[in-house]
Amino acid sequence: MSKHASPAAIGAFVLTAFALVVITVLILSGGRLFRHTARVIVYFDSSVAGLRVGAPVKFRGIDIGTVKDLRINMTGAARDPQHVLIPVLLEIDEGRLSSQGVRVDLDDRKEVQRLVDQGLRAQLATESLVTGVRYVELDIKPRAPARLLHDRRYPEIPSVPSLTETLPDKVDQILTKLAEVDVAGLARSMRATVDDADQLVRSPHLARAVASLDKITADIDRTVNQFATAAQDLRPAIADAKDTVTSARKTTERLSSQLDTTLHDVGDAARSLRRLADQLGRDPGALLRGGKQ
């Protein structure tokens, strides 16, 4: 007789198989099932050679997502072959942003537009010059123009040319400016300046001017020495004058003291005469009596 399989054994087998499937899916997805991601699109107007699906998306060197898809805008290429735009779909790990202290909802078009208004831009960067592998770099560049196509499916971040794209233009501008410079004219002008300087150095007028300058300098030195000698000679006279002034001041002080004494004596005599006059006025006979009553 055949034995029937135990329901418990069948249940255990099913649960084990389901667990293996879940584990396999988690491994293959790299844990993306439990991450909150947002998708944004960038239109590049230059070659995206070296950029692959799965390439990093970085913000100032920090990984915040991956390149999800690369597309070709054939309709736009047919309309304007000189300006072919390559849509690149980015998948941003908002959980990674949150771990860096950034709180944004990139699924919200208004939030993305606010960041774009503040200068959020995307550009291609080279991860290795040897392999030519490229990635997408996000950064804040408020002065860079924001050209948007207003994609209807995803929020859009405008792109800016990379350094390798702008370098040839910069070199061309420099070469154009150099080509506009009149090198021959500059050379002639410099040669004329050197010749004029040489003639000036060799000019006899300059030699005479230098000789005259030496004579003037010698005369100035001689005059300064004469002033110094005269000053030395005047020092005794100045000392004598100082002594004379001091002596005159002392004499003046002595005469002033004597004059004060004389004036005091004269005052006493005048008061005595006034008293005598008063007495004679009251008693004229006092003069004959010798001032006796």
Side-chain angles (χ1 to χ4, degrees):
M1 297 179 62
S2 61
K3 296 181 178 180
H4 295 285
S6 171
I10 296 174
F13 175 79
V14 172
L15 289 176
T16 302
F18 180 75
L20 290 175
V21 170
V22 170
I23 293 173
T24 302
V25 171
L26 290 177
I27 293 174
L28 293 178
S29 65
R32 287 192 297 271
L33 292 177
F34 301 100
R35 291 186 300 179
H36 182 225
T37 60
R39 293 184 178 183
V40 295
I41 197 165
V42 179
Y43 286 88
F44 291 100
D45 60 356
S46 60
S47 174
V48 294
L51 187 65
R52 299 287 184 269
V53 173
V57 176
K58 301 181 181 183
F59 182 81
R60 295 188 176 180
I62 300 176
D63 289 344
I64 60 171
T66 58
V67 174
K68 183 66 176 177
D69 193 13
L70 300 170
R71 302 174 182 179
I72 300 177
N73 188 354
M74 295 298 295
T75 304
R79 285 199 307 265
D80 189 359
Q82 299 297 326
H83 299 88
V84 180
L85 298 178
I86 306 297
V88 177
L89 186 62
L90 310 180
E91 190 172 67
I92 308 300
D93 185 355
E94 293 189 334
R96 184 65 186 274
L97 292 177
S98 299
S99 66
Q100 299 293 327
V102 181
R103 298 289 187 271
V104 292
D105 183 8
L106 297 181
D107 285 326
D108 186 354
R109 288 180 178 269
K110 292 183 179 180
E111 182 73 8
V112 175
Q113 184 60 49
R114 183 181 65 82
L115 294 173
V116 170
D117 293 339
Q118 293 177 355
L120 181 63
R121 304 290 186 269
Q123 67 179 165
L124 293 175
T126 301
E127 192 166 18
S128 172
L129 295 175
V130 177
T131 61
V133 175
R134 307 176 84 177
Y135 64 94
V136 177
E137 176 78 16
L138 300 182
D139 204 346
I140 302 298
K141 300 178 181 293
R143 296 184 179 180
R147 187 181 61 180
L148 296 171
L149 271 68
H150 302 289
D151 190 274
R152 296 181 179 179
R153 295 164 295 177
Y154 303 101
E156 184 181 351
I157 298 175
S159 65
V160 294
S162 63
L163 179 61
T164 56
E165 295 168 358
T166 57
L167 185 59
D169 294 335
K170 297 293 184 183
V171 173
D172 288 341
Q173 292 176 7
I174 294 173
L175 294 177
T176 301
K177 294 294 184 183
L178 289 176
E180 294 174 355
V181 175
D182 186 5
V183 179
L186 288 176
R188 288 193 298 271
S189 177
M190 292 178 63
R191 181 60 184 175
T193 303
V194 172
D195 291 341
D196 292 341
D198 184 64
Q199 291 178 5
L200 179 61
V201 171
R202 297 175 182 274
S203 172
H205 300 289
L206 180 61
R208 286 196 296 271
V210 172
S212 300
L213 182 61
D214 292 338
K215 182 177 181 301
I216 292 171
T217 304
D219 292 340
I220 292 174
D221 290 338
R222 185 166 55 255
T223 302
V224 170
N225 292 331
Q226 290 174 355
F227 272 115
T229 303
Q232 290 293 114
D233 295 339
L234 285 174
R235 284 182 180 178
I238 293 172
D240 293 341
K242 182 178 180 182
D243 293 339
T244 301
V245 171
T246 303
S247 177
R249 184 175 60 189
K250 290 180 179 180
T251 302
T252 302
E253 291 176 352
R254 187 170 58 254
L255 290 175
S256 176
S257 177
Q258 293 175 357
L259 181 59
D260 290 340
T261 303
T262 302
L263 290 175
H264 185 269
D265 293 341
V266 170
D268 290 343
R271 284 191 293 274
S272 297
L273 288 174
R274 188 178 298 111
R275 286 195 299 270
L276 178 59
D278 291 340
Q279 185 178 359
L280 290 175
R282 291 192 303 272
D283 185 10
L287 181 62
L288 296 177
R289 294 192 301 272
K292 297 180 179 180
Q293 297 293 334

